[in-house]
């Protein structure tokens, strides 16, 4: 039998070649790499919140390995926060919010590994859309000594105003102030130079156009004149015509132009309110050659005095009633200020030591011809008829705001459907210097929405000239009427009780107002009763009913 014997060397060669082949095959196989590790994203930065109308727009800096974000909100700074949304972008607008409420936001970043910490907080307060305000209306300029006082109507939405001035009509204007109120007094001006003004309104949305132009020419003095210091008077009485030829209940005043009422109120506190005060004689200074009496009953409590030296004819009114007497003189010509700011001018000597607790002058406007309108600010103040609608301005020295040698419009009150409103005393912004027996000049500017009062220091030449006209009172109002009757009042609260004076005596001059001339209707005046009854009982009854 034939046997094949293997060569050991050949066998080793075959095994070596197989191993090489096996190793070659192994060198061509590849295994999958292990998965890369994913980290939690870092905290977002640069979060900005921008307020809109009932919305807040948010933006922040993106994180490279973030797949989305968690946006969170709170109404308290520092949280706790409530998640709003999970946007994949780096901005979001949060809407349907409440204007005026502050909102606080944070944002975090997310991916499959987890969530970052919260960003730094951002906050915003939504606000309603703001539009540019309208140009101010009703700009008025009142000149004084080296000054011009400006007032205008408020523009809705305005946060400030820009007052601009020129020395040429129509401009060019230069801005001189940016007040937040609706008035401004431009001072340190040159007397005799005309100044022209416009006003614009501003807010965050921008600036309005300019108002209509107004102008004023400062002067060292305001002179009394035949027009009652008015450029176009609807009514003016300088009293230079002297006493009326036919005297009536208004004394020396012309009853065609004036109606008079002398209120004799009932005592509030005496004997349970059942005692009426009768008219007593009022001591008066020398006034007219034809009247020698130094103490008078009505109607001689209303006199037009003779001119004296540089002093022209003036109206004297005196009242000795105790307490709460009211001599009231109504101008029959109506005062109309519809759609405008009207002006009432007058001169009066309110420096004779009176205060609101003694005697004082007042100006009242009522849409109805009320007899002796009375404004009851306090419980026992001035019993008498209360008007349905009206406004009263009271002038007095001292009274807390001014010194004893100064006066101002210290009390202003409005009635609307018999409901009283005392305007704030903080509206008193200035005083005038007064002196016993010397006249001051006053101007009341009134519209349905505002009342401004100007005054001068006392005249040193018997009321021929006045100095330093400036604003002494300003307040917003809400009048239901635009036409009314002007009442000039001399009030005696209680001169005897508080000042040991028997009466309150005032002199008036150059009383007038501007506006359209309106024909007034026919009025009737009952005859005057100048004879006292023989007994106090009957006199008390008659005089307590005496409204004339």
């Amino acid at each position: 039998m034939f046997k094949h014997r293997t060569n050991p060397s050949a066998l080793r060669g075959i095994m070596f070649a197989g191993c090489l082949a096996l190793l070659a095959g192994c060198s061509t196989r590849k295994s999958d790499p292990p998965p890369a590790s994913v980290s939690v994203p870092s905290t977002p930065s640069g979060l900005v919140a921008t307020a809109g109308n009932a919305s807040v727009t948010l933006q922040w800096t993106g994180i490279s390995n973030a797949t989305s974000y968690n946006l969170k909100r709170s109404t308290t700074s520092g949280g706790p926060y409530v998640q709003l949304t999970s946007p994949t972008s780096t901005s979001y607008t949060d809407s349907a919010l409440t204007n005026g409420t502050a909102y606080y936001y944070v944002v975090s970043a997310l991916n499959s590994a987890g969530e970052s910490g919260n960003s730094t907080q951002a906050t915003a307060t939504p606000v309603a859309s703001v539009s540019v305000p309208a140009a101010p209306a009703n700009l008025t300029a009142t000149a004084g000594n080296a000054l011009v006082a400006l007032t205008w109507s408020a523009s809705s939405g305005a946060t400030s105003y820009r007052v601009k001035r020129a020395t040429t009509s129509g401009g060019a204007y230069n801005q001189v102030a940016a007040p937040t109120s609706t008035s401004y007094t431009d001072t340190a001006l040159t007397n005799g130079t005309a100044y022209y003004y416009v006003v614009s309104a501003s807010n965050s949305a921008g600036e309005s156009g300019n108002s209509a132009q107004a102008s004023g020419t400062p002067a060292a003095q305001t002179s009394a004149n035949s027009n009652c210091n008015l450029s176009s008077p609807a009514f003016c009485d300088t009293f230079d015509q002297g006493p009326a030829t036919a005297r009536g209940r208004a004394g020396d005043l012309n009853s065609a132009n004036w109606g008079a009422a002398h209120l004799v109120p009932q005592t509030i506190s005496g004997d349970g309110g059942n005692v009426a005060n009768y008219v007593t004689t009022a001591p008066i200074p020398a006034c007219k050659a034809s009247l020698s009496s130094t103490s008078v009953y009505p109607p001689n409590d209303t006199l037009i005095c003779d001119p004296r030296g540089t002093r022209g004819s003036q109206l004297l009114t005196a009242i000795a009633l105790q307490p709460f007497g009211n001599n009231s003189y109504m101008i029959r010509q109506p005062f109309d200020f519809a759609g405008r700011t009207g002006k009432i001018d007058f001169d009066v000597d309110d420096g004779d030591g009176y205060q609101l607790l003694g005697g004082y002058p007042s100006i009242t406007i009522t849409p109805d011809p009320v007899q002796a309108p009375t404004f009851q600010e306090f419980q026992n103040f001035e019993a008498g008829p209360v008007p349905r609608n009206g406004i009263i301005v009271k002038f007095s020295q001292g009274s807390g705001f001014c010194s004893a040698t100064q006066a101002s419009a210290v009390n202003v009150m409005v009635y609307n459907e018999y409901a009283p409103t005392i305007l704030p005393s903080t509206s008193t912004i200035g005083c005038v210097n007064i002196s016993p027996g010397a006249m001051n000049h006053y101007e009341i500017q009134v519209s349905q929405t505002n009342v401004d009062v100007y005054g001068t220091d006392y005249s040193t030449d018997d009321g021929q000239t006045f100095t330093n006209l400036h604003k002494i009172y300003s307040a917003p109002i809400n009048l239901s009427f635009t036409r009314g009757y002007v009442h000039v009042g001399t009030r005696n609260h209680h001169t005897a009780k508080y000042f040991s004076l028997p009466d309150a005596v005032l002199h008036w001059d150059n009383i007038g107002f501007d506006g359209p001339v309106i024909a007034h209707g026919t009025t009737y005046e009952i005859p005057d009763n100048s004879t006292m009854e023989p007994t106090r009982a009957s006199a008390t009854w008659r005089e307590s009913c005496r409204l004339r």
Side-chain angles (χ1 to χ4, degrees), residues 330-349:
M330 186 190 78
I331 300 173
R332 299 188 189 277
Q333 158 73 33
F335 171 50
D336 191 295
F337 51 94
R340 70 184 190 95
T341 298
K343 182 191 289 187
I344 302 170
D345 278 21
F346 63 97
D347 307 334
V348 68
D349 58 344

Side-chain angles (χ1 to χ4, degrees), residues 20-296:
L20 288 177
L22 180 62
L23 289 174
C26 291
S27 67
T28 60
R29 294 183 61 188
K30 296 181 179 178
S31 61
D32 293 331
S37 61
V38 178
S39 60
V40 175
S42 59
T43 300
S45 62
L47 178 62
V48 176
T50 304
N53 182 17
S55 67
V56 172
T57 298
L58 300 131
Q59 292 181 312
W60 57 92
T61 302
I63 303 300
S64 60
N65 62 339
T67 56
S68 64
Y69 300 90
N70 281 346
L71 184 63
K72 309 163 190 179
R73 181 184 71 197
S74 176
T75 54
T76 302
S77 179
Y81 303 100
V82 175
Q83 183 172 329
L84 293 178
T85 185
S86 297
T88 57
S89 65
T90 58
S91 65
Y92 179 76
T93 297
D94 190 14
S95 57
L97 301 179
T98 301
N99 286 332
T101 298
Y103 294 91
Y104 303 89
Y105 297 88
V106 292
V107 64
S108 61
L110 296 172
N111 64 16
S112 60
E115 180 183 5
S116 74
N118 289 333
S119 68
T120 301
Q121 178 181 271
T123 183
T125 302
V127 293
S129 299
V130 177
S131 58
V132 176
N138 303 318
L139 176 64
T140 61
T142 303
N145 183 20
L147 61 84
V148 172
L150 302 162
T151 61
W152 57 90
S153 299
S155 293
S156 178
T159 56
S160 65
Y161 300 89
R162 298 181 184 182
V163 178
K164 307 167 190 179
R165 180 185 69 203
T167 53
T168 302
S169 180
Y173 304 101
N174 294 316
Q175 183 174 325
V176 295
T180 56
S181 63
T182 56
S183 64
Y184 176 73
T185 300
D186 194 15
T187 59
L189 302 179
T190 302
N191 287 332
T193 297
Y195 293 90
Y196 302 88
Y197 296 88
V198 292
V199 178
S200 62
S202 299
N203 62 18
S204 59
E207 179 184 2
S208 74
N210 291 332
S211 67
Q213 179 180 273
S215 65
T217 302
Q221 296 178 327
T222 301
S223 300
N225 55 55
S226 59
N227 289 331
C228 298
N229 298 291
L230 296 164
S231 58
S232 181
F235 174 86
C236 173
D237 199 338
T238 64
F239 310 107
D240 292 334
Q241 77 283 354
T245 55
R247 301 181 87 238
R249 303 180 71 82
D252 282 351
L253 289 172
N254 186 342
S255 59
N257 299 327
W258 296 87
H262 189 165
L263 177 63
V264 183
Q266 189 177 40
T267 300
I268 296 174
S269 56
D271 291 346
N274 296 321
V275 176
N277 287 282
Y278 53 92
V279 174
T280 60
T281 58
I284 61 171
C287 178
K288 50 191 294 186
S290 60
L291 182 69
S292 59
S293 298
T294 58
S295 190
V296 297

Side-chain angles (χ1 to χ4, degrees), residues 296-384:
V296 297
Y297 287 110
N300 288 330
D301 57 358
T302 308
L303 302 171
I304 294 179
C305 300
D306 297 333
R308 184 177 75 243
T310 59
R311 185 171 187 165
S313 297
Q314 296 176 350
L315 171 67
L316 177 150
T317 60
I319 183 167
L321 274 171
Q322 296 298 325
F324 317 133
N326 181 1
N327 276 14
S328 181
Y329 306 92
M330 186 190 78
I331 300 173
R332 299 188 189 277
Q333 158 73 33
F335 171 50
D336 191 295
F337 51 94
R340 70 184 190 95
T341 298
K343 182 191 289 187
I344 302 170
D345 278 21
F346 63 97
D347 307 334
V348 68
D349 58 344
D350 58 347
D352 277 339
Y354 306 129
Q355 293 181 2
L356 285 178
L357 288 177
Y360 56 90
S362 68
I363 298 294
T364 305
I365 310 171
T366 63
D368 304 312
V370 182
Q371 295 175 311
T374 302
F375 288 66
Q376 298 177 335
E377 293 95 331
F378 310 109
Q379 291 178 352
N380 68 336
F381 230 53
E382 303 165 16

Side-chain angles (χ1 to χ4, degrees), residues 138 140 152-154 335-343 365 367 389-391 412-416 423 444-452 475-484:
N138 303 318
T140 61
W152 57 90
S153 299
F335 171 50
D336 191 295
F337 51 94
R340 70 184 190 95
T341 298
K343 182 191 289 187
I365 310 171
N389 298 289
I391 179 173
V412 181
M413 189 172 185
V414 171
Y415 264 86
N416 186 3
L423 299 186
I444 300 175
Q445 297 184 10
V446 62
S447 67
Q448 278 191 281
T449 58
N450 205 76
V451 57
D452 296 301
I477 56 177
N478 183 19
L479 296 184
S480 60
F481 58 94
T482 58
R483 179 183 295 180

